[in-house]
């Protein structure tokens, strides 16, 4: 799989889980979701690099 696709997939998954948590808790600031997604991008890039190094 393409590295860009893997990063996008990881970020989308993290955003989806964060959105589900925010919907169940309720009343949270939507900027929290933005911060989580922004932090998920470098984390996903590092995860994909680590995966490629292991192969």
């Amino acid at each position: 799989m393409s590295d860009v696709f893997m990063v996008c997939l990881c970020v989308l998954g993290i955003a989806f889980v964060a959105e589900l948590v925010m919907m169940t808790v309720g009343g949270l600031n939507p900027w929290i979701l933005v911060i989580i997604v922004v932090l998920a991008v470098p984390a996903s890039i590092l995860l994909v690099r680590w995966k490629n190094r292991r192969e």
Side-chain angles (χ1 to χ4, degrees):
M1 253 195 263
S2 169
D3 290 345
V4 174
F5 179 72
M6 287 293 294
V7 169
C8 291
L9 191 63
C10 289
V11 171
L12 184 65
I14 292 170
F16 183 70
V17 169
E19 181 65 30
L20 286 176
V21 169
M22 286 179 63
M23 284 184 350
T24 56
V25 172
L28 292 177
N29 192 344
W31 283 104
I32 294 173
L33 179 62
V34 173
I35 292 169
I36 289 172
V37 169
V38 167
L39 292 176
V41 172
S44 298
I45 290 171
L46 290 174
L47 182 66
V48 169
R49 281 187 184 173
W50 176 73
K51 179 189 151 298
N52 286 340
R53 191 177 307 149
R54 289 190 54 191
E55 290 179 346

